[in-house]
């Protein structure tokens, strides 16, 4: 991997020469070319001079700056840009260390891996990385990249330093007109149901991080080249339409998430075992009660029989005495 830029990190009086490498690969994403639908020919963007109306080559293209809202364009040469009094042209000066959560994700742009650019940079590089790890802070500074000065964040990651280009605060648009004038109200039990649904999602799997769109697109292209119909694996259809009962939808979503992981089957199995155990216990208890009832009745009969026998004997003795 070749570096895209070289500069130094200024950490107080410590200077760390580094080389920046692209951390992302945008060429791996899906991209299309424009074609003429009538014959499939490529449609290209040809650079044309607005004054002469003729096509020009890349060697004839330079930079210009348009001040204000007028039509005036001021030409700028490479020498003009090199003469800019930018201390950040070759140095990323760290201005502050802040908690990573203080950075608005909307500001985050392209990422770069930072490697040492000289043997002397090894120790201060490790020192800065470990200090930020222990202090749980990220560094904020400014650097000029590709002819423009930009904010940048430096953070430790897996034994290395990573630089993230940041947008300027004025480049983040306001939220005027985004939110409705009147906010919807939700009940506490609905929030609890939503939290239960969040907990039911579980961890990300490798399949979740797979680019299925790219694979499907490649299958369509392959099918067209082979003059056949594309073949796609059967997938679960997503429900469509407006959800009217929010609470019911949340509860159904939790149950669906559990079924997808087989948790409902385990719960039903446990429920079945519990119900069976309860039935057995009830049956046993009923049998025990019946046995006790039978024994009680038998004992009562025996007692009654004994009383009758004793009464007869008493009556017999009384008769003999009277005679």
């Amino acid at each position: 991997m070749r570096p895209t830029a070289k500069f130094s990190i200024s950490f107080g009086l410590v200077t760390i020469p580094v080389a920046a490498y692209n951390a992302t690969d945008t060429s791996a994403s899906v991209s299309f070319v424009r074609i003429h639908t009538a014959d499939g020919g490529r449609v290209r963007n040809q650079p044309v001079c607005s004054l002469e109306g003729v096509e020009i080559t890349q060697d004839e293209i330079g930079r210009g700056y348009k001040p204000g809202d007028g039509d005036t364009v001021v030409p700028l040469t490479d020498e003009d840009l090199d003469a800019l009094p930018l201390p950040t042209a070759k140095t990323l000066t760290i201005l502050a260390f802040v908690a990573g959560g203080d950075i608005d994700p909307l500001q985050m742009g392209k990422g770069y891996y930072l490697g040492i650019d000289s043997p002397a940079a090894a120790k201060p590089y490790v020192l800065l990385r470990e200090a930020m790890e222990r202090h749980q802070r990220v560094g904020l500074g400014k650097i000029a990249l590709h002819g423009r000065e930009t904010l940048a964040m430096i953070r430790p990651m897996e034994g290395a330093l990573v630089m993230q280009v940041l947008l300027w605060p004025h480049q983040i648009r306001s939220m005027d007109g985004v939110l409705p004038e009147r906010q919807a109200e939700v009940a506490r039990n609905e929030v609890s149901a939503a939290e239960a649904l969040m907990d039911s999602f579980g961890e990300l799997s490798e399949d979740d991080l797979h680019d299925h769109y790219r694979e499907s697109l490649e299958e369509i292209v392959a099918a067209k080249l082979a003059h056949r119909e594309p073949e796609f694996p059967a997938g679960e259809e997503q429900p469509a339409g407006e959800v009217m009962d929010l609470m019911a939808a949340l509860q159904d979503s939790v149950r669906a998430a559990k079924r997808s992981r087989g948790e409902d089957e385990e719960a039903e199995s446990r429920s079945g075992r519990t119900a069976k155990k309860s039935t057995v216990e009830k049956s046993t208890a009923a049998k025990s009660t019946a046995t006790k009832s039978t024994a009680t009745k038998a004992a009562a009969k025996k007692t009654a029989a004994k009383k009758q026998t004793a009464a007869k004997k008493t009556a017999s003795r009384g008769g003999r005495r009277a005679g």
Side-chain angles (χ1 to χ4, degrees):
M1 190 160 49
R2 301 177 64 179
T4 60
K6 292 186 178 183
F7 52 88
S8 295
I9 299 173
S10 176
F11 174 38
L13 297 178
V14 179
T15 300
I16 311 171
V18 295
Y21 303 84
N22 286 331
T24 56
D25 182 11
T26 56
S27 64
S29 61
V30 173
S31 60
F32 301 96
V33 296
R34 298 190 301 168
I35 63 170
H36 185 197
T37 55
D39 54 19
R42 291 282 297 273
V43 176
R44 303 182 184 276
N45 291 326
Q46 304 292 347
V48 176
C49 176
S50 61
L51 297 179
E52 299 177 331
V54 297
E55 184 179 338
I56 58 177
T57 64
Q58 289 294 328
D59 295 337
E60 298 177 280
I61 299 176
R63 295 187 184 93
Y65 186 77
K66 185 179 176 182
D69 297 329
D71 295 330
T72 302
V73 176
V74 179
L76 294 172
T77 65
D78 292 341
E79 289 75 16
D80 293 330
L81 298 177
D82 290 340
L84 289 174
L86 284 179
T88 58
K90 296 293 183 181
T91 303
L92 190 158
T93 303
I94 296 179
L95 304 175
F97 290 93
V98 301
D102 293 343
I103 307 298
D104 188 343
L106 286 174
Q107 287 186 258
M108 294 187 183
K110 189 174 178 59
Y112 297 87
Y113 298 132
L114 299 181
I116 59 173
D117 196 34
S118 73
K123 188 169 183 178
Y125 180 97
V126 174
L127 173 66
L128 178 59
R129 184 198 69 208
E130 291 192 1
M132 283 196 291
E133 285 179 346
R134 291 181 58 179
H135 205 51
Q136 296 184 347
R137 292 289 188 271
V138 298
L140 288 183
K142 294 192 295 184
I143 182 69
L145 286 176
H146 312 301
R148 296 183 180 182
E149 187 176 57
T150 179
L151 285 174
M153 174 183 69
I154 296 179
R155 61 186 175 91
M157 188 185 79
E158 298 180 2
L161 290 176
V162 174
M163 181 179 73
Q164 204 89 29
V165 172
L166 302 178
L167 297 176
W168 296 98
H170 70 266
Q171 293 178 294
I172 305 299
R173 294 180 174 178
S174 69
M175 296 177 65
D176 294 341
V178 175
L179 297 176
E181 295 181 1
R182 184 175 179 180
Q183 295 290 331
E185 296 182 0
V186 294
R188 182 173 297 179
N189 62 334
E190 291 174 332
V191 177
S192 299
E195 292 174 344
L197 176 58
M198 292 167 65
D199 292 336
S200 70
F201 272 58
E203 300 294 332
L204 279 175
S205 66
E206 291 186 7
D207 189 63
D208 293 327
L209 302 176
H210 198 65
D211 190 353
H212 296 286
Y213 180 81
R214 182 185 179 90
E215 280 191 354
S216 301
L217 181 63
E218 290 175 346
E219 168 58 19
I220 290 177
V221 173
K224 284 182 175 292
L225 292 175
H227 305 287
R228 61 174 175 80
E229 290 296 321
E231 299 175 359
F232 301 117
E236 183 178 349
E237 291 187 3
Q238 297 296 324
E242 185 179 359
V243 177
M244 300 303 295
D245 191 338
L246 179 59
M247 193 65 185
L250 290 170
Q251 293 171 343
D252 289 344
S253 299
V254 172
R255 285 191 286 268
K258 288 183 177 180
R259 279 198 302 271
S260 67
R261 296 197 301 273
E263 291 183 11
D264 266 13
E265 296 177 2
E266 295 178 5
E268 290 175 3
S269 178
R270 287 195 298 270
S271 177
R273 290 196 297 269
T274 302
K276 185 177 180 180
K277 181 179 179 182
S278 176
T279 302
V280 172
E281 289 176 350
K282 288 181 180 178
S283 177
T284 303
K287 288 181 180 178
S288 176
T289 301
T291 302
K292 288 179 181 179
S293 178
T294 303
T296 301
K297 289 180 181 178
K301 287 181 179 180
K302 288 182 180 180
T303 302
K306 286 181 180 179
K307 287 182 179 180
Q308 289 178 0
T309 302
K312 288 179 181 180
K313 288 181 179 180
T314 301
S316 176
R317 286 197 298 268
R320 287 197 297 268
R321 289 172 184 167

